[in-house]
Amino acid sequence: ASHFIFLFMLAWLLSIAMEPSVAWLANHGLKRGLASGLAILGIIVTTIAFIGLFGGIFVAQSAELIHGLPATIYNLVNWLNATFHLQLDPAHILDSLHIDAGKIAEWASSLAGGILGVLGLIFGGLFDTLTMFVFAYYLSADGPRLRRIIGSWLPERMQKVFVTVWDIAVIKTGGFVVSKLVLAALSAVFHVVAFYLIGVPFWLPMGIFAGIVSQFIPTVGTYIGIAIPALFSLAVDPIKVVWIVAFATV
């Protein structure tokens, strides 16, 4: 049941994230069910558009990133040895990180494997996504009625307090989630463009990683988001790291 519970919790979070847009549409004359459907449709259309535009590049660069990970670490260690007169052993570091040819092949095959694996991943993902959207739709469309039903179980003096607290929690949480999603999307777009112009290796997955991590991990997210691209760029051209840090600082 853990997988189903996880999908249900995602659906509940999605329904909360949709609440600001659903409430706005409902306040402008649309029925709540139709407003919830339009919000989900907007999410689906946006996702399909992104996959259509960048899905192939993202998968190709991610697979290439995994294949080139040992060489990147090897070049980075050699640069550190030459620059700071160290005596690090690249082979020992790769072994301690459990990164070898067999492990890389396993990762790459799981990312861009055979047709059966890809089809299974696609259909499994579609089923999970459909399940999540169905529950998110009903949780969003019937949210007010659900609150009233649960509130009716409480003593009369507590009902108004319960509904008020629930409404405030949904509005505040929904606003927070939406703001984080918008900021993460904008941050990812700007990082992708900047990394492409700078010439960062695997600029698309690196830019998306930096954009998302910088918004959803408090305080240190920005540092983590640029540390990984900086390490990969360091093995190619150290001056790129300066540009990455300068962009992230601005």
Side-chain angles (χ1 to χ4, degrees):
S2 60
H3 183 66
F4 173 77
I5 294 173
F6 176 71
L7 289 177
F8 185 83
M9 295 300 294
L10 284 180
W12 177 66
L13 182 62
L14 178 60
S15 69
I16 292 177
M18 290 162 42
E19 183 59 28
S21 59
V22 171
W24 185 85
L25 291 172
N27 291 334
H28 284 74
L30 291 181
K31 292 184 177 180
R32 191 171 177 88
L34 179 59
S36 300
L38 288 176
I40 290 179
L41 181 62
I43 295 173
I44 294 175
V45 170
T46 303
T47 304
I48 292 176
F50 175 81
I51 294 175
L53 290 173
F54 301 109
I57 300 175
F58 181 82
V59 172
Q61 289 193 1
S62 299
E64 185 181 350
L65 186 155
I66 293 176
H67 274 297
L69 188 58
T72 301
I73 295 177
Y74 190 86
N75 293 334
L76 178 61
V77 172
N78 286 337
W79 181 86
L80 291 173
N81 288 336
T83 304
F84 300 103
H85 306 291
L86 304 177
Q87 301 295 325
L88 301 176
D89 184 5
H92 177 70
I93 292 177
L94 289 173
D95 184 63
S96 63
L97 294 174
H98 303 289
I99 299 176
D100 53 29
K103 183 63 70 175
I104 294 298
E106 179 183 341
W107 292 344
S109 63
S110 64
L111 181 63
I115 185 66
L116 291 179
V118 172
L119 288 177
L121 183 63
I122 290 175
F123 283 110
L126 286 176
F127 181 78
D128 287 347
T129 303
L130 178 61
T131 303
M132 182 183 68
F133 278 145
V134 168
F135 278 100
Y137 172 79
Y138 282 109
L139 287 171
S140 176
D142 272 354
R145 189 162 66 96
L146 179 63
R147 289 194 291 272
R148 290 195 298 269
I149 291 174
I150 297 178
S152 66
W153 300 341
L154 300 175
E156 185 175 353
R157 60 185 179 85
M158 295 297 298
Q159 291 178 6
K160 184 177 180 181
V161 175
F162 171 80
V163 173
T164 302
V165 170
W166 186 319
D167 286 339
I168 293 174
V170 168
I171 292 172
K172 295 299 183 181
T173 306
F176 174 80
V177 172
V178 169
S179 67
K180 282 297 180 182
L181 290 175
V182 171
L183 287 173
L186 290 173
S187 180
V189 168
F190 285 116
H191 276 90
V192 166
V193 173
F195 288 174
Y196 175 78
L197 295 177
I198 294 172
V200 176
F202 321 113
W203 50 270
L204 182 57
M206 289 294 181
I208 293 175
F209 170 80
I212 293 176
V213 168
S214 66
Q215 297 304 316
F216 283 98
I217 297 182
T219 309
V220 297
T222 300
Y223 306 107
I224 297 174
I226 66 169
I228 305 300
L231 287 175
F232 275 84
S233 300
L234 189 61
V236 177
D237 183 5
I239 195 63
K240 295 183 185 298
V241 179
V242 177
W243 287 111
I244 292 173
V245 174
F247 170 79
T249 301
V250 172

